Coordinates of all heavy atoms in Angstrom, one line a residue:
T1 N -4.0 -0.6 15.7 CA -4.8 -0.9 14.5 C -3.9 -1.2 13.3 O -4.4 -2.0 12.4 CB -5.8 0.2 14.2 OG1 -5.0 1.4 14.0 CG2 -6.8 0.5 15.3
W2 N -2.8 -0.7 13.2 CA -1.9 -1.0 12.0 C -1.5 -2.4 12.1 O -1.3 -3.0 11.0 CB -0.7 0.0 12.0 CG 0.3 -0.2 13.1 CD1 0.3 0.5 14.2 CD2 1.4 -1.1 13.1 NE1 1.4 0.0 15.0 CE2 2.1 -0.9 14.3 CE3 1.9 -2.0 12.1 CZ2 3.2 -1.6 14.6 CZ3 3.0 -2.7 12.5 CH2 3.7 -2.5 13.7
V3 N -1.3 -3.0 13.3 CA -0.9 -4.4 13.3 C -2.0 -5.3 12.7 O -1.7 -6.2 12.0 CB -0.7 -4.8 14.8 CG1 -0.4 -6.3 14.9 CG2 0.5 -4.0 15.4
Y4 N -3.3 -5.0 13.0 CA -4.4 -5.7 12.5 C -4.5 -5.6 11.0 O -4.8 -6.5 10.2 CB -5.7 -5.4 13.1 CG -5.8 -5.9 14.6 CD1 -5.8 -5.0 15.6 CD2 -5.9 -7.2 14.9 CE1 -5.8 -5.4 16.9 CE2 -5.9 -7.7 16.2 CZ -5.9 -6.8 17.2 OH -5.9 -7.2 18.5
S5 N -4.1 -4.4 10.5 CA -4.1 -4.1 9.0 C -3.0 -5.0 8.4 O -3.3 -5.6 7.3 CB -3.9 -2.7 8.7 OG -4.9 -1.9 9.2
V6 N -1.9 -5.1 9.0 CA -0.8 -5.9 8.4 C -1.2 -7.4 8.5 O -1.0 -8.1 7.6 CB 0.5 -5.7 9.2 CG1 1.6 -6.7 8.8 CG2 1.0 -4.2 9.0
I7 N -1.8 -7.8 9.6 CA -2.2 -9.2 9.8 C -3.2 -9.6 8.7 O -3.1 -10.7 8.1 CB -2.8 -9.4 11.2 CG1 -1.7 -9.4 12.2 CG2 -3.5 -10.8 11.2 CD1 -2.3 -9.4 13.6
K8 N -4.1 -8.7 8.4 CA -5.1 -9.0 7.4 C -4.6 -8.9 5.9 O -5.0 -9.6 5.1 CB -6.3 -8.0 7.5 CG -7.1 -8.3 8.8 CD -8.3 -7.3 8.9 CE -9.0 -7.6 10.2 NZ -10.1 -6.6 10.4
S9 N -3.7 -7.9 5.7 CA -3.2 -7.7 4.3 C -2.1 -8.6 3.9 O -1.9 -8.9 2.7 CB -2.9 -6.3 4.1 OG -1.8 -5.9 4.9
A10 N -1.2 -9.1 4.8 CA -0.1 -9.9 4.5 C -0.5 -11.2 3.7 O 0.1 -11.5 2.7 CB 0.8 -10.2 5.7
P11 N -1.4 -12.0 4.2 CA -1.8 -13.1 3.5 C -2.4 -12.8 2.1 O -2.2 -13.5 1.1 CB -2.9 -13.8 4.3 CG -2.6 -13.3 5.7 CD -2.1 -11.9 5.5
M12 N -3.1 -11.7 2.0 CA -3.7 -11.3 0.8 C -2.6 -10.9 -0.3 O -2.7 -11.3 -1.4 CB -4.7 -10.1 0.9 CG -5.9 -10.4 1.7 SD -6.9 -11.7 0.9 CE -7.0 -12.9 2.2
L13 N -1.6 -10.2 0.2 CA -0.5 -9.9 -0.7 C 0.3 -11.2 -1.1 O 0.7 -11.3 -2.2 CB 0.5 -8.9 0.0 CG -0.1 -7.5 0.2 CD1 0.9 -6.7 1.0 CD2 -0.3 -6.9 -1.2
G14 N 0.4 -12.1 -0.2 CA 1.0 -13.4 -0.5 C 0.2 -14.2 -1.5 O 0.7 -14.8 -2.5
L15 N -1.1 -14.1 -1.4 CA -2.0 -14.8 -2.3 C -1.9 -14.1 -3.7 O -1.9 -14.8 -4.7 CB -3.4 -14.8 -1.8 CG -4.5 -15.4 -2.7 CD1 -4.1 -16.9 -2.9 CD2 -5.9 -15.3 -2.1
L16 N -1.8 -12.8 -3.7 CA -1.7 -12.1 -5.0 C -0.4 -12.5 -5.7 O -0.4 -12.8 -6.9 CB -1.7 -10.6 -4.7 CG -1.4 -9.7 -5.9 CD1 -2.6 -9.8 -6.9 CD2 -1.2 -8.2 -5.5
G17 N 0.7 -12.6 -4.9 CA 2.0 -13.1 -5.5 C 1.8 -14.5 -6.0 O 2.4 -14.9 -7.1
T18 N 1.1 -15.3 -5.3 CA 0.9 -16.7 -5.7 C 0.1 -16.8 -7.1 O 0.5 -17.5 -8.0 CB 0.1 -17.5 -4.7 OG1 0.9 -17.5 -3.5 CG2 -0.1 -18.9 -5.1
V19 N -0.9 -16.0 -7.1 CA -1.7 -16.0 -8.4 C -0.9 -15.4 -9.5 O -0.9 -16.0 -10.6 CB -3.0 -15.1 -8.2 CG1 -3.7 -14.8 -9.5 CG2 -3.9 -15.8 -7.2
L20 N -0.1 -14.4 -9.3 CA 0.7 -13.8 -10.4 C 1.8 -14.9 -10.8 O 2.0 -15.0 -12.0 CB 1.3 -12.5 -10.0 CG 0.4 -11.4 -9.8 CD1 1.1 -10.1 -9.2 CD2 -0.3 -11.0 -11.1
G21 N 2.4 -15.5 -9.9 CA 3.4 -16.5 -10.2 C 2.8 -17.7 -11.0 O 3.4 -18.2 -11.9
M22 N 1.7 -18.1 -10.6 CA 1.0 -19.3 -11.2 C 0.5 -18.8 -12.6 O 0.6 -19.6 -13.6 CB -0.1 -19.8 -10.4 CG 0.3 -20.4 -9.1 SD 1.6 -21.7 -9.3 CE 0.6 -23.0 -10.0
M23 N 0.1 -17.6 -12.8 CA -0.3 -17.1 -14.1 C 0.9 -17.1 -15.0 O 0.8 -17.4 -16.2 CB -0.9 -15.7 -14.0 CG -2.3 -15.7 -13.4 SD -3.0 -14.0 -13.1 CE -2.9 -13.3 -14.7
A24 N 2.0 -16.7 -14.5 CA 3.2 -16.7 -15.3 C 3.6 -18.1 -15.7 O 4.0 -18.3 -16.9 CB 4.4 -16.0 -14.6
A25 N 3.5 -19.0 -14.8 CA 3.9 -20.4 -15.1 C 2.9 -21.0 -16.1 O 3.3 -21.6 -17.1 CB 3.9 -21.3 -13.8
F26 N 1.6 -20.8 -15.9 CA 0.7 -21.3 -16.9 C 0.7 -20.6 -18.2 O 0.4 -21.1 -19.3 CB -0.8 -21.3 -16.3 CG -1.0 -22.4 -15.3 CD1 -1.4 -22.0 -14.0 CD2 -0.8 -23.7 -15.6 CE1 -1.6 -23.0 -13.0 CE2 -1.0 -24.7 -14.6 CZ -1.4 -24.3 -13.4
G27 N 1.1 -19.3 -18.2 CA 1.3 -18.6 -19.4 C 2.4 -19.2 -20.3 O 2.3 -19.2 -21.5
K28 N 3.5 -19.6 -19.6 CA 4.5 -20.2 -20.4 C 4.1 -21.6 -20.9 O 4.4 -22.0 -22.0 CB 5.8 -20.4 -19.5 CG 6.5 -19.1 -19.2 CD 7.7 -19.4 -18.3 CE 8.4 -18.0 -18.1 NZ 9.5 -18.2 -17.1
L29 N 3.3 -22.3 -20.1 CA 2.8 -23.6 -20.6 C 1.8 -23.5 -21.8 O 1.8 -24.3 -22.7 CB 2.1 -24.4 -19.5 CG 3.0 -25.0 -18.4 CD1 2.1 -25.6 -17.3 CD2 3.8 -26.1 -19.1
G30 N 1.0 -22.4 -21.7 CA 0.0 -22.2 -22.7 C 0.5 -21.5 -24.0 O -0.2 -21.3 -24.9
G31 N 1.8 -21.1 -24.0 CA 2.4 -20.4 -25.1 C 2.6 -21.2 -26.3 O 2.8 -20.7 -27.4
G32 N 2.5 -22.5 -26.2 CA 2.6 -23.4 -27.4 C 4.1 -23.7 -27.7 O 4.3 -24.6 -28.5
E33 N 5.0 -23.1 -27.1 CA 6.4 -23.4 -27.3 C 6.9 -24.4 -26.3 O 6.3 -24.6 -25.2 CB 7.3 -22.2 -27.3 CG 7.2 -21.4 -26.0 CD 7.3 -19.9 -26.2 OE1 6.8 -19.3 -27.2 OE2 8.0 -19.3 -25.3
K34 N 8.1 -25.0 -26.5 CA 8.6 -25.9 -25.6 C 9.1 -25.1 -24.3 O 9.8 -24.1 -24.5 CB 9.8 -26.6 -26.2 CG 10.4 -27.7 -25.3 CD 11.3 -28.6 -26.1 CE 12.1 -29.4 -25.2 NZ 11.6 -30.8 -25.1
V35 N 8.7 -25.6 -23.2 CA 9.0 -24.9 -21.9 C 10.1 -25.7 -21.2 O 10.0 -26.9 -21.0 CB 7.7 -24.8 -21.1 CG1 8.0 -24.1 -19.7 CG2 6.6 -24.1 -21.8
D36 N 11.1 -24.9 -20.7 CA 12.1 -25.5 -19.9 C 11.5 -25.7 -18.5 O 10.9 -24.8 -17.9 CB 13.3 -24.6 -19.8 CG 14.5 -25.2 -19.1 OD1 14.5 -26.4 -18.9 OD2 15.4 -24.4 -18.6
A37 N 11.7 -26.9 -17.9 CA 11.2 -27.2 -16.6 C 11.7 -26.3 -15.5 O 11.0 -25.9 -14.6 CB 11.4 -28.6 -16.3
S38 N 13.0 -25.9 -15.6 CA 13.6 -25.0 -14.6 C 12.9 -23.6 -14.6 O 12.8 -23.0 -13.6 CB 15.1 -24.9 -14.8 OG 15.4 -24.3 -16.0
Q39 N 12.6 -23.1 -15.8 CA 11.9 -21.8 -15.9 C 10.5 -21.9 -15.2 O 10.1 -21.0 -14.5 CB 11.7 -21.3 -17.3 CG 13.0 -20.9 -17.9 CD 12.8 -20.6 -19.4 OE1 11.8 -21.0 -20.0 NE2 13.8 -19.9 -20.0
L40 N 9.8 -23.0 -15.5 CA 8.5 -23.2 -14.9 C 8.6 -23.4 -13.4 O 7.8 -22.8 -12.6 CB 7.9 -24.5 -15.5 CG 6.4 -24.7 -15.3 CD1 5.6 -23.6 -15.8 CD2 6.0 -26.0 -15.9
A41 N 9.6 -24.1 -12.9 CA 9.8 -24.3 -11.5 C 10.2 -22.9 -10.8 O 9.8 -22.7 -9.7 CB 11.0 -25.3 -11.3
D42 N 10.9 -22.1 -11.5 CA 11.2 -20.7 -10.9 C 10.0 -19.9 -10.7 O 9.8 -19.3 -9.7 CB 12.2 -20.0 -11.9 CG 13.6 -20.5 -11.9 OD1 13.9 -21.3 -10.9 OD2 14.3 -20.2 -12.8
D43 N 9.0 -19.9 -11.7 CA 7.8 -19.2 -11.5 C 7.0 -19.8 -10.3 O 6.4 -19.0 -9.6 CB 7.0 -19.2 -12.8 CG 7.6 -18.4 -13.9 OD1 8.3 -17.4 -13.5 OD2 7.3 -18.6 -15.1
I44 N 6.9 -21.1 -10.2 CA 6.2 -21.7 -9.2 C 6.8 -21.4 -7.8 O 6.2 -21.2 -6.8 CB 6.0 -23.2 -9.4 CG1 5.1 -23.4 -10.7 CG2 5.4 -23.9 -8.2 CD1 5.0 -24.9 -11.1
A45 N 8.2 -21.4 -7.8 CA 8.9 -21.2 -6.5 C 8.6 -19.7 -6.1 O 8.4 -19.5 -4.9 CB 10.4 -21.4 -6.8
I46 N 8.6 -18.8 -7.0 CA 8.2 -17.4 -6.6 C 6.8 -17.3 -6.1 O 6.5 -16.6 -5.1 CB 8.4 -16.5 -7.8 CG1 9.9 -16.3 -8.1 CG2 7.8 -15.1 -7.6 CD1 10.2 -15.6 -9.4
A47 N 5.9 -18.1 -6.7 CA 4.5 -18.1 -6.2 C 4.4 -18.6 -4.8 O 3.8 -18.0 -4.0 CB 3.6 -18.9 -7.2
L48 N 5.1 -19.7 -4.5 CA 5.1 -20.2 -3.2 C 5.8 -19.4 -2.2 O 5.5 -19.3 -1.0 CB 5.7 -21.7 -3.2 CG 4.8 -22.7 -4.0 CD1 5.5 -24.0 -4.1 CD2 3.4 -22.8 -3.4
L49 N 6.9 -18.7 -2.6 CA 7.7 -17.9 -1.7 C 6.8 -16.7 -1.2 O 6.9 -16.3 -0.1 CB 8.9 -17.3 -2.4 CG 9.8 -16.4 -1.6 CD1 10.4 -17.2 -0.4 CD2 10.9 -15.8 -2.5
T50 N 6.0 -16.1 -2.1 CA 5.2 -15.0 -1.7 C 4.1 -15.4 -0.7 O 3.8 -14.7 0.2 CB 4.5 -14.3 -2.9 OG1 3.7 -15.3 -3.6 CG2 5.5 -13.7 -3.9
T51 N 3.6 -16.6 -0.9 CA 2.7 -17.2 0.1 C 3.3 -17.4 1.4 O 2.8 -17.0 2.5 CB 2.1 -18.5 -0.4 OG1 1.5 -18.3 -1.7 CG2 1.1 -19.1 0.5
F52 N 4.5 -18.0 1.4 CA 5.3 -18.2 2.6 C 5.6 -16.9 3.4 O 5.4 -16.8 4.6 CB 6.6 -18.9 2.3 CG 7.5 -19.0 3.5 CD1 7.3 -19.9 4.5 CD2 8.6 -18.1 3.6 CE1 8.2 -19.9 5.6 CE2 9.5 -18.2 4.7 CZ 9.2 -19.1 5.7
I53 N 6.0 -15.9 2.6 CA 6.3 -14.6 3.3 C 5.0 -14.0 3.9 O 5.1 -13.5 5.0 CB 6.9 -13.6 2.3 CG1 8.3 -14.1 1.9 CG2 7.0 -12.2 2.8 CD1 9.0 -13.3 0.7
G54 N 3.9 -14.0 3.2 CA 2.7 -13.5 3.7 C 2.2 -14.2 5.0 O 1.8 -13.6 6.0
L55 N 2.3 -15.5 5.0 CA 1.9 -16.3 6.1 C 2.9 -16.1 7.3 O 2.5 -16.1 8.5 CB 1.7 -17.7 5.8 CG 0.6 -18.0 4.9 CD1 0.6 -19.5 4.5 CD2 -0.7 -17.7 5.5
S56 N 4.2 -16.0 7.0 CA 5.2 -15.9 8.0 C 5.1 -14.5 8.7 O 5.6 -14.3 9.8 CB 6.6 -16.1 7.5 OG 7.0 -15.1 6.5
I57 N 4.5 -13.5 8.0 CA 4.2 -12.2 8.7 C 3.0 -12.3 9.5 O 2.9 -11.9 10.6 CB 4.1 -11.1 7.6 CG1 5.5 -10.9 7.0 CG2 3.6 -9.8 8.2 CD1 5.5 -10.0 5.8
A58 N 1.9 -12.9 8.9 CA 0.6 -12.8 9.5 C 0.5 -13.7 10.8 O -0.1 -13.4 11.8 CB -0.5 -13.2 8.5
I59 N 1.1 -14.9 10.7 CA 0.9 -15.9 11.8 C 1.5 -15.4 13.1 O 0.9 -15.4 14.2 CB 1.4 -17.3 11.4 CG1 0.4 -17.9 10.4 CG2 1.5 -18.2 12.6 CD1 0.9 -19.1 9.7
P60 N 2.8 -15.0 13.1 CA 3.4 -14.5 14.4 C 2.7 -13.2 14.9 O 2.5 -13.1 16.1 CB 4.8 -14.2 14.1 CG 5.1 -14.9 12.8 CD 3.8 -15.0 12.1
L61 N 2.3 -12.3 14.0 CA 1.6 -11.1 14.5 C 0.2 -11.5 15.0 O -0.2 -10.8 16.0 CB 1.5 -10.1 13.3 CG 2.8 -9.4 13.0 CD1 2.5 -8.4 11.8 CD2 3.3 -8.6 14.1
S62 N -0.4 -12.5 14.5 CA -1.7 -12.9 15.0 C -1.6 -13.4 16.4 O -2.4 -13.1 17.3 CB -2.4 -13.9 14.1 OG -2.7 -13.4 12.9
L63 N -0.6 -14.3 16.6 CA -0.3 -14.8 17.9 C 0.1 -13.8 19.0 O -0.4 -13.8 20.1 CB 0.8 -15.9 17.9 CG 0.4 -17.2 17.0 CD1 1.7 -18.1 16.9 CD2 -0.7 -17.9 17.7
A64 N 0.9 -12.8 18.5 CA 1.3 -11.7 19.4 C 0.1 -10.9 19.8 O -0.1 -10.5 21.0 CB 2.4 -10.9 18.8
A65 N -0.7 -10.5 18.8 CA -1.9 -9.7 19.1 C -2.9 -10.5 20.0 O -3.4 -9.8 21.0 CB -2.6 -9.4 17.8
A66 N -3.0 -11.8 19.9 CA -3.9 -12.5 20.8 C -3.3 -12.5 22.2 O -4.1 -12.4 23.2 CB -4.0 -14.0 20.3
A67 N -2.0 -12.7 22.3 CA -1.4 -12.7 23.6 C -1.5 -11.3 24.3 O -1.8 -11.3 25.5 CB 0.1 -13.0 23.5
I68 N -1.4 -10.3 23.6 CA -1.6 -8.9 24.1 C -3.0 -8.7 24.6 O -3.3 -8.2 25.6 CB -1.1 -7.9 23.1 CG1 0.4 -7.9 22.9 CG2 -1.6 -6.5 23.5 CD1 0.9 -7.1 21.8
Q69 N -4.0 -9.2 23.8 CA -5.4 -9.0 24.1 C -5.7 -9.8 25.4 O -6.4 -9.3 26.3 CB -6.3 -9.6 23.0 CG -6.4 -8.6 21.8 CD -7.0 -7.3 22.2 OE1 -7.9 -7.3 23.0 NE2 -6.6 -6.3 21.5
I70 N -5.1 -11.0 25.6 CA -5.3 -11.8 26.8 C -4.8 -11.0 28.0 O -5.4 -10.9 29.0 CB -4.7 -13.2 26.7 CG1 -5.5 -14.0 25.7 CG2 -4.6 -13.9 28.0 CD1 -4.8 -15.3 25.3
R71 N -3.6 -10.5 27.9 CA -3.0 -9.7 29.0 C -3.8 -8.5 29.3 O -4.0 -8.1 30.5 CB -1.5 -9.3 28.7 CG -0.6 -10.5 28.7 CD 0.8 -10.1 28.5 NE 1.7 -11.3 28.5 CZ 3.0 -11.3 28.4 NH1 3.6 -10.1 28.3 NH2 3.7 -12.4 28.4
L72 N -4.3 -7.8 28.3 CA -5.1 -6.6 28.6 C -6.4 -7.0 29.3 O -6.8 -6.3 30.2 CB -5.4 -5.9 27.3 CG -4.3 -5.1 26.6 CD1 -4.7 -4.6 25.3 CD2 -3.8 -4.0 27.6
R73 N -7.0 -8.1 28.9 CA -8.2 -8.5 29.6 C -8.0 -8.9 31.0 O -8.8 -8.5 31.9 CB -8.9 -9.7 28.8 CG -9.8 -9.3 27.7 CD -10.6 -10.4 27.2 NE -10.4 -10.4 25.7 CZ -9.8 -11.3 25.0 NH1 -9.4 -12.5 25.6 NH2 -9.7 -11.2 23.7
K74 N -6.9 -9.5 31.3 CA -6.5 -9.9 32.7 C -6.3 -8.6 33.5 O -6.7 -8.5 34.6 CB -5.3 -10.8 32.7 CG -5.5 -12.2 32.3 CD -4.2 -13.0 32.4 CE -4.5 -14.4 31.9 NZ -3.2 -15.2 32.0
M75 N -5.6 -7.6 32.9 CA -5.4 -6.4 33.6 C -6.7 -5.6 33.9 O -6.9 -5.1 34.9 CB -4.4 -5.5 32.8 CG -3.0 -6.0 32.8 SD -1.9 -5.0 31.7 CE -1.9 -3.5 32.6
E76 N -7.6 -5.7 32.9 CA -8.9 -5.1 33.1 C -9.7 -5.8 34.2 O -10.4 -5.1 34.9 CB -9.7 -5.1 31.8 CG -9.2 -4.2 30.7 CD -9.9 -4.3 29.4 OE1 -10.6 -5.3 29.2 OE2 -9.7 -3.5 28.5
E77 N -9.6 -7.1 34.3 CA -10.3 -7.8 35.3 C -9.7 -7.5 36.7 O -10.4 -7.5 37.7 CB -10.2 -9.3 35.1 CG -11.0 -9.8 33.9 CD -10.7 -11.2 33.5 OE1 -10.0 -11.9 34.2 OE2 -11.3 -11.7 32.5
L78 N -8.4 -7.2 36.8 CA -7.8 -6.9 38.1 C -8.0 -5.5 38.5 O -7.8 -5.2 39.7 CB -6.3 -7.2 38.0 CG -5.9 -8.7 37.9 CD1 -4.4 -8.8 37.7 CD2 -6.3 -9.5 39.1
T79 N -8.3 -4.6 37.6 CA -8.4 -3.2 37.9 C -9.5 -2.9 39.0 O -9.1 -2.2 40.0 CB -8.7 -2.4 36.7 OG1 -7.7 -2.6 35.7 CG2 -8.9 -0.9 37.0
P80 N -10.7 -3.4 39.0 CA -11.6 -3.1 40.0 C -11.2 -3.5 41.4 O -11.4 -2.8 42.4 CB -12.9 -3.8 39.6 CG -12.8 -4.1 38.1 CD -11.3 -4.2 37.9
S81 N -10.6 -4.7 41.5 CA -10.2 -5.2 42.8 C -9.0 -4.4 43.4 O -9.0 -4.0 44.5 CB -9.9 -6.7 42.8 OG -8.7 -6.9 42.0
G82 N -8.1 -4.0 42.5 CA -7.0 -3.2 42.9 C -7.4 -1.8 43.3 O -7.0 -1.2 44.3
L83 N -8.4 -1.3 42.5 CA -8.9 0.1 42.9 C -9.6 0.1 44.2 O -9.5 1.0 45.0 CB -9.8 0.6 41.8 CG -10.4 2.0 41.9 CD1 -9.2 3.0 42.0 CD2 -11.3 2.3 40.7
S84 N -10.4 -1.0 44.5 CA -11.1 -1.0 45.7 C -10.2 -1.2 46.9 O -10.4 -0.6 48.0 CB -12.2 -2.2 45.7 OG -11.6 -3.4 45.8
R85 N -9.1 -1.9 46.7 CA -8.0 -2.1 47.8 C -7.4 -0.7 48.1 O -7.2 -0.4 49.2 CB -7.0 -3.1 47.4 CG -7.5 -4.5 47.4 CD -6.6 -5.5 46.8 NE -5.3 -5.6 47.5 CZ -4.3 -6.2 47.0 NH1 -4.3 -6.9 45.9 NH2 -3.1 -6.2 47.7
V86 N -7.1 0.1 47.0 CA -6.5 1.4 47.2 C -7.5 2.3 47.9 O -7.1 3.0 48.9 CB -6.1 2.0 45.8 CG1 -5.8 3.5 46.0 CG2 -4.9 1.2 45.3
L87 N -8.8 2.3 47.5 CA -9.8 3.1 48.2 C -10.0 2.7 49.6 O -10.2 3.6 50.5 CB -11.1 3.1 47.4 CG -11.0 3.8 46.0 CD1 -12.3 3.5 45.3 CD2 -10.7 5.2 46.1
D88 N -10.0 1.4 49.9 CA -10.1 0.9 51.3 C -8.9 1.4 52.1 O -9.1 1.8 53.3 CB -10.2 -0.6 51.3 CG -11.5 -1.1 50.8 OD1 -12.5 -0.3 50.8 OD2 -11.6 -2.3 50.5
S89 N -7.7 1.4 51.6 CA -6.5 1.9 52.3 C -6.7 3.4 52.6 O -6.3 3.8 53.7 CB -5.3 1.6 51.5 OG -5.0 0.3 51.3
I90 N -7.1 4.1 51.6 CA -7.3 5.6 51.8 C -8.4 5.8 52.9 O -8.2 6.7 53.8 CB -7.7 6.3 50.5 CG1 -6.5 6.2 49.5 CG2 -8.1 7.7 50.7 CD1 -6.8 6.7 48.1
K91 N -9.4 5.0 52.8 CA -10.5 5.2 53.8 C -10.1 4.9 55.2 O -10.4 5.6 56.1 CB -11.7 4.3 53.4 CG -12.9 4.3 54.2 CD -14.0 3.4 53.7 CE -15.1 3.2 54.6 NZ -16.1 2.2 54.1
S92 N -9.3 3.8 55.3 CA -8.8 3.5 56.7 C -7.8 4.5 57.2 O -7.8 4.8 58.3 CB -8.2 2.0 56.7 OG -7.1 2.0 55.9
A93 N -7.0 5.0 56.3 CA -6.0 6.0 56.7 C -6.7 7.3 57.1 O -6.3 7.9 58.1 CB -5.0 6.3 55.5
L94 N -7.8 7.7 56.4 CA -8.6 8.8 56.8 C -9.3 8.7 58.1 O -9.3 9.6 58.9 CB -9.5 9.2 55.7 CG -8.9 9.8 54.4 CD1 -10.0 10.0 53.3 CD2 -8.2 11.1 54.7
S95 N -9.8 7.5 58.3 CA -10.5 7.2 59.6 C -9.5 7.2 60.7 O -9.8 7.6 61.8 CB -11.3 5.9 59.5 OG -10.5 4.8 59.3
S96 N -8.3 6.6 60.5 CA -7.3 6.6 61.6 C -6.9 8.1 61.9 O -6.7 8.4 63.0 CB -6.1 5.8 61.1 OG -6.4 4.5 60.9
A97 N -6.7 8.9 60.9 CA -6.3 10.3 61.1 C -7.4 11.0 61.8 O -7.1 11.9 62.6 CB -6.0 10.9 59.7
A98 N -8.7 10.7 61.5 CA -9.8 11.4 62.2 C -9.8 11.0 63.6 O -10.2 11.9 64.5 CB -11.1 11.1 61.5
R99 N -9.5 9.8 64.0 CA -9.5 9.3 65.4 C -8.4 10.0 66.1 O -8.5 10.3 67.3 CB -9.4 7.8 65.5 CG -10.8 7.1 65.3 CD -10.6 5.7 65.5 NE -10.5 5.1 64.1 CZ -9.9 4.0 63.8 NH1 -9.4 3.2 64.8 NH2 -9.8 3.6 62.6
V100 N -7.3 10.2 65.5 CA -6.1 10.8 66.2 C -6.3 12.3 66.3 O -5.8 12.9 67.2 CB -4.8 10.4 65.4 CG1 -3.6 11.2 65.9 CG2 -4.6 9.0 65.4
G101 N -7.1 12.8 65.4 CA -7.4 14.2 65.5 C -6.5 15.1 64.6 O -6.2 16.2 64.9
V102 N -6.1 14.5 63.5 CA -5.2 15.2 62.6 C -6.0 16.1 61.7 O -7.0 16.0 61.3 CB -4.3 14.3 61.8 CG1 -3.5 15.0 60.7 CG2 -3.4 13.5 62.7

């Protein structure tokens, strides 16, 4: 369950960083003073970096969780047939032992 919490919260934290970075950039623009383009670009770069980090965490974990779920479902589907084969083997072993008189 912690994996799903990280998957859900990582993009939200990235979005929060994006909003904060864009607020800083627009705050400098709205300040009325002359703004250096490199300072503005730094704020926007930080905003985009947080989005990138959030998505780079969430996307691989989502794919890994999906792959694990698929494998678990396949194993669940194989369990009844495997269990019946084991029980059939036990049943035949017991019937063979009964015929021999063990």
Side-chain angles (χ1 to χ4, degrees):
T1 58
W2 68 268
V3 173
Y4 289 111
S5 297
V6 171
I7 290 171
K8 290 178 183 177
S9 62
M12 293 298 125
L13 290 173
L15 182 60
L16 176 65
T18 301
V19 170
L20 292 175
M22 295 306 288
M23 286 174 59
F26 286 122
K28 286 181 182 173
L29 282 175
E33 59 211 39
K34 186 169 168 101
V35 179
D36 184 21
S38 65
Q39 291 175 340
L40 194 60
D42 287 342
D43 289 335
I44 293 172
I46 290 171
L48 294 175
L49 180 64
T50 59
T51 302
F52 171 76
I53 291 170
L55 292 175
S56 66
I57 291 170
I59 291 171
L61 286 178
S62 295
L63 294 174
I68 290 169
Q69 287 294 331
I70 289 170
R71 287 185 181 182
L72 286 174
R73 273 191 232 117
K74 285 181 181 179
M75 289 174 67
E76 288 172 351
E77 291 172 2
L78 293 174
T79 300
S81 65
L83 185 59
S84 74
R85 288 172 59 192
V86 167
L87 292 175
D88 288 342
S89 297
I90 293 172
K91 182 179 171 183
S92 67
L94 289 175
S95 66
S96 296
R99 276 184 265 157
V100 172
V102 174

